[in-house]
């Protein structure tokens, strides 16, 4: 770098110093300007980094939302077009067979040999099944059931044609007939007597029995038809009117409602008895489903009803707000060992219904993990122990199959092992069944708990708020209740038997809207 020679006189030196100071000032301005620009760029980079982080967070949320929506779409498609059975045949290691490479000739040959052997096994089984199958009877050999009533009709030759002939027998032809429902009016005449001279004795007549309704206008058989058509065959009153009209009598809907109320009053002692029998079992399953209750125009008399306070609050709010109907609930109680089931009706999904039905019950209650069952042991002073249903837990896990196929396959294969153990021990006595549960089932439960805490079920592979994360959290929260079946042999693995009771309600709830039966409690066995 060339530099100017230094001047020899003082004035030139001062002039050079002034020039250098001017240049330094200019450079300082340039440096200050560049520093300002650099600071602005740093702030811009910081803002851009913050925006990138926000975009990444939004992208992650959108990905999670997409997964959730895909699961919902898959769930809806299964409800519309999927299999009704929850049974699965796939398991761990059976989902992804495409290994991304062409199979070798040895593998192809082995697969073809396996297919031929499988086809041969199937053919042999079908052939053996055909040999065991009995020959179907010919149509001419079929007879109508023996329990059907029969009457004879003899068709004979005219007397002129059979003259000189000997009767050697009859050819029998059975023809099935159908007679429509026939209504008859029974006219009961009660004798009346009067004293010929002493008029003060009045009229003397036989004591009349109590009828189904006032005036004994309807026989018990009519009440049976009304209740059976409504609750067994799910026929509303307007369709019952048509059926009765076909027999020559067209009742009003209010008349049919009064008959229904009278039947409920007559069957109440039987229902209370069956409810008491239900509580003799050690384990009772409980499930519920919604029904629509038409709001009454006026508040009914609830002074003697055990749940009158709660019913009054719900109906009072509905009447005051002008609601035409409210969402009520039908409850089913299933005895695990006794042939008794009980139905109960409540005006809301409140725990006052189960608390009333199970007020003096001592044992186990099996059901879903509804909040009303939580802490039931504390509310009942340890009379009742709650056991959770594995079918509910499995159902929540199965809903995540589309997004998490490997984890779901693993968990469902373990849960299937619990059911396999139950199939093996169903014929054993309680002591042997409990011993097998504590050895085999407990081992499987330990494997399920270990897998729920493994890396495959942890973030980031399974987010806590994802469907599978929520399902796993459900199992973890209710783990103690889900393992309760290993402590008592009378507790089933799931509550499916009780849930099937709700099919009766689901079939008919749109037909028999509850208007009058605010204290409905029908039971059957």
């Amino acid at each position: 770098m060339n530099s100017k020679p230094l001047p020899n006189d003082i004035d030139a030196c001062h002039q050079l110093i002034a020039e250098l100071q001017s240049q330094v000032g200019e450079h300082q301005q340039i440096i200050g300007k560049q520093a300002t620009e650099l600071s602005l760029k740093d702030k811009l980079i910081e803002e851009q980094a913050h925006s990138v982080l926000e975009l990444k967070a939004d992208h992650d949320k959108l990905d999670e939302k997409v997964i959730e929506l895909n699961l919902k779409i898959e769930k809806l498609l299964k409800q519309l077009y999927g299999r009704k059975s929850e049974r699965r045949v796939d398991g761990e290691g059976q989902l992804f067979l495409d290994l991304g490479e062409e199979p070798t000739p040895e593998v192809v040959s082995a697969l073809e040999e396996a297919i031929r052997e499988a086809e041969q096994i199937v053919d042999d089984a079908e052939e053996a099944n055909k040999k065991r199958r009995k020959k179907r009877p010919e149509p001419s050999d079929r007879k109508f059931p023996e329990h059907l009533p029969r009457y004879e009709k003899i068709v004979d030759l005219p007397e002129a044609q059979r003259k000189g002939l000997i009767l050697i027998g009859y050819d029998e032809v059975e023809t099935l007939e159908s007679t429509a429902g026939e209504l008859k009016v029974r006219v009961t005449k009660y004798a009346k007597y009067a004293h010929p001279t002493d008029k003060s004795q009045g009229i003397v007549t036989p004591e009349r029995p109590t009828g189904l309704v006032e005036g004994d206008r309807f026989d018990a058989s009519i009440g049976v038809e009304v209740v059976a058509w409504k609750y067994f065959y799910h026929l509303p009153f307007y369709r019952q009117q048509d059926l009765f009209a076909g027999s020559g009598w067209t009742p009003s809907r209010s008349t049919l409602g009064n008959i229904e109320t009278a039947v409920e009053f007559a069957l109440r002692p039987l229902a209370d008895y069956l409810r008491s029998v239900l509580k003799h079992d050690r384990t009772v399953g409980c499930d519920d489903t919604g029904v629509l209750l038409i709001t009454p125009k006026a508040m009914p008399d609830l002074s003697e009803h055990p749940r009158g306070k709660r019913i009054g609050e719900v109906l009072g709010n509905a009447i005051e707000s002008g609601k035409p109907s409210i969402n009520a609930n039908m409850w089913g109680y299933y005895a695990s060992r006794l042939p008794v089931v009980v139905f109960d009706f409540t005006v809301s999904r409140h725990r006052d219904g189960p608390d009333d039905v199970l007020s003096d019950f001592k044992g186990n209650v099996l059901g879903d993990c509804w909040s009303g069952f939580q802490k039931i042991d504390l509310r009942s002073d340890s009379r009742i122990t709650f056991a959770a249903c594995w079918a509910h837990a499995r159902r929540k896990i199965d809903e995540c199959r589309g997004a998490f196929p490997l984890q779901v396959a693993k968990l469902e294969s373990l849960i299937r092992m619990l059911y396999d153990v139950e199939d093996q021990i169903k014929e054993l006595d309680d002591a042997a069944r409990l011993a097998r549960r504590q050895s085999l089932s407990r081992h499987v439960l330990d494997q399920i708990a270990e897998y729920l805490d493994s890396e495959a079920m942890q973030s980031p592979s399974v987010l806590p708020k994802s469907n599978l994360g929520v399902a796993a959290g459900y199992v973890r929260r209710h783990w103690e209740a889900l393992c309760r079946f290993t402590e008592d042999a009378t507790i089933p693995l799931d509550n499916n038997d009780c849930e099937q009771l709700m099919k009766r309600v689901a079939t008919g709830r749109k037909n028999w809207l509850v208007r009058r039966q605010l204290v409905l409690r029908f039971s059957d066995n």
Side-chain angles (χ1 to χ4, degrees):
M1 180 177 179
N2 295 330
S3 60
K4 294 181 180 181
L6 295 176
N8 296 326
D9 54 39
I10 298 297
D11 294 335
C13 288
H14 284 296
Q15 184 178 1
L16 180 60
I17 291 172
E19 291 177 357
L20 293 174
Q21 288 178 346
S22 175
Q23 292 178 1
V24 169
E26 292 177 357
H27 286 299
Q28 287 179 346
Q29 290 179 358
I30 294 173
I31 292 172
K33 184 177 180 181
Q34 291 176 347
T36 303
E37 292 177 354
L38 183 61
S39 176
L40 292 174
K41 290 181 179 179
D42 289 340
K43 291 183 178 179
L44 180 60
I45 292 174
E46 183 179 356
E47 291 178 356
Q48 290 178 345
H50 184 68
S51 300
V52 169
L53 292 176
E54 288 183 348
L55 289 174
K56 185 177 183 303
D58 293 339
H59 185 269
D60 293 339
K61 290 181 179 179
L62 289 175
D63 287 342
E64 185 177 351
K65 189 68 175 178
V66 168
I67 293 175
E68 182 180 354
L69 291 175
N70 286 334
L71 290 173
K72 288 182 178 179
I73 292 173
E74 182 180 357
K75 181 179 179 181
L76 292 174
L77 290 176
K78 285 183 179 179
Q79 291 177 351
L80 288 174
Y81 309 109
R83 296 173 55 184
K84 299 300 181 183
S85 173
E86 295 180 355
R87 182 166 180 163
R88 301 282 184 181
V89 296
D90 54 350
E92 182 185 8
Q94 296 183 353
L95 293 178
F96 304 102
L97 298 179
D98 185 7
L99 303 179
E101 57 184 8
E102 293 295 331
T104 62
E106 292 80 5
V107 174
V108 173
S109 177
L111 289 175
E112 292 176 351
E113 181 66 24
I115 292 174
R116 285 194 296 270
E117 291 180 358
E119 291 177 348
Q120 184 63 38
I121 292 173
V122 172
D123 293 339
D124 294 343
E126 291 181 351
E127 186 66 25
N129 190 26
K130 289 181 180 178
K131 292 180 179 179
R132 291 193 301 267
R133 190 178 302 163
K134 296 181 179 179
K135 293 184 178 180
R136 293 183 179 179
E138 296 295 331
S140 58
D141 295 336
R142 292 185 179 180
K143 292 186 177 182
F144 297 116
E146 297 295 336
H147 66 272
L148 294 179
R150 286 169 166 78
Y151 70 94
E152 293 184 353
K153 178 183 178 182
I154 298 178
V155 180
D156 206 342
L157 292 173
E159 185 176 357
Q161 294 184 12
R162 66 173 182 263
K163 186 176 181 180
L165 301 179
I166 301 175
L167 179 65
I168 60 174
Y170 295 94
D171 286 333
E172 293 186 359
V173 177
E174 291 190 343
T175 305
L176 188 64
E177 296 181 355
S178 175
T179 302
E182 181 182 1
L183 296 179
K184 296 181 292 186
V185 178
R186 183 182 69 239
V187 180
T188 305
K189 297 182 177 181
Y190 294 93
K192 297 189 296 182
Y193 293 90
H195 198 277
T197 57
D198 189 1
K199 303 297 184 183
S200 61
Q201 293 186 11
I203 298 176
V204 181
T205 185
E207 183 179 358
R208 302 189 181 187
T210 302
L212 184 63
V213 296
E214 185 177 359
D216 197 16
R217 298 187 62 247
F218 301 104
D219 185 64
S221 60
I222 299 298
V224 170
E225 290 291 334
V226 171
V227 173
W229 283 349
K230 183 173 183 180
Y231 294 101
F232 298 164
Y233 305 112
H234 316 296
L235 299 178
F237 284 158
Y238 75 89
R239 295 180 65 183
Q240 293 190 29
Q241 286 179 300
D242 296 336
L243 292 175
F244 280 118
S247 299
W249 173 58
T250 306
S252 64
R253 298 186 192 180
S254 61
T255 298
L256 297 177
N258 291 333
I259 294 175
E260 179 192 19
T261 303
V263 173
E264 190 275 334
F265 177 78
L267 292 181
R268 176 58 60 84
L270 175 61
D272 293 339
Y273 171 74
L274 292 177
R275 190 169 80 166
S276 65
V277 172
L278 176 84
K279 299 174 187 177
H280 292 163
D281 207 325
R282 174 65 184 168
T283 300
V284 172
C286 180
D287 196 23
D288 70 292
T289 187
V291 294
L292 195 64
L293 170 64
I294 299 177
T295 305
K297 296 181 179 179
M299 183 67 68
D301 183 14
L302 304 171
S303 57
E304 298 182 359
H305 199 284
R307 309 173 205 162
K309 182 178 179 181
R310 176 65 180 174
I311 296 175
E313 292 176 357
V314 175
L315 295 183
N317 293 334
I319 294 174
E320 183 178 354
S321 59
K323 292 183 178 179
S325 61
I326 58 177
N327 294 323
N329 268 66
M330 188 73 77
W331 301 79
Y333 299 88
Y334 184 92
S336 63
R337 300 293 182 89
L338 299 176
V340 179
V341 297
V342 172
F343 287 99
D344 184 58
F345 176 78
T346 59
V347 296
S348 64
R349 197 171 190 248
H350 194 264
R351 69 187 189 192
D352 61 336
D355 286 350
D356 178 36
V357 174
L358 304 174
S359 59
D360 54 349
F361 172 69
K362 184 177 181 180
N364 307 304
V365 171
L366 176 65
D368 56 18
C369 296
W370 170 54
S371 59
F373 288 143
Q374 306 303 315
K375 306 299 181 184
I376 193 172
D377 53 341
L378 297 178
R379 298 200 310 271
S380 62
D381 296 330
S382 300
R383 287 186 298 103
I384 300 176
T385 302
F386 173 66
C389 169
W390 267 105
H392 282 82
R394 181 194 177 282
R395 199 171 299 134
K396 290 182 178 296
I397 294 173
D398 187 71
E399 292 173 355
C400 313
R401 175 176 293 272
F404 306 96
L406 294 178
Q407 292 91 333
V408 170
K410 175 65 176 181
L411 289 172
E412 288 194 348
S413 64
L414 292 174
I415 295 174
R416 193 179 300 118
M417 292 174 64
L418 294 177
Y419 281 90
D420 291 340
V421 174
E422 293 299 310
D423 290 339
Q424 297 172 10
I425 65 177
K426 60 183 178 181
E427 302 296 335
L428 302 180
D429 56 24
D430 288 350
R433 186 184 298 111
L434 184 60
R436 298 291 291 274
R437 282 181 174 180
Q438 291 177 348
S439 59
L440 299 179
S441 300
R442 176 56 67 178
H443 176 67
V444 178
L445 291 172
D446 292 340
Q447 289 184 325
I448 295 176
E450 182 180 354
Y451 187 77
L452 289 175
D453 296 333
S454 65
E455 295 182 359
M457 295 293 294
Q458 304 299 326
S459 298
S461 58
V462 180
L463 298 176
K465 292 187 178 180
S466 64
N467 282 24
L468 184 57
V470 173
Y474 174 91
V475 176
R476 292 190 188 100
R477 286 194 309 273
H478 306 292
W479 184 252
E480 184 178 357
L482 287 169
C483 298
R484 198 84 67 188
F485 74 100
T486 61
E487 303 172 3
D488 192 331
T490 65
I491 300 177
L493 189 60
D494 56 42
N495 197 33
N496 285 344
D497 290 335
C498 186
E499 289 187 14
Q500 291 176 1
L501 297 177
M502 297 298 102
K503 292 182 179 180
R504 312 180 191 182
V505 182
T507 304
R509 59 185 158 195
K510 291 185 178 180
N511 293 332
W512 38 258
L513 294 178
V514 183
R515 179 190 297 270
R516 303 178 60 85
Q517 296 301 110
L518 300 178
V519 291
L520 179 66
R521 188 188 292 129
F522 280 103
S523 309
D524 58 10
N525 60 358

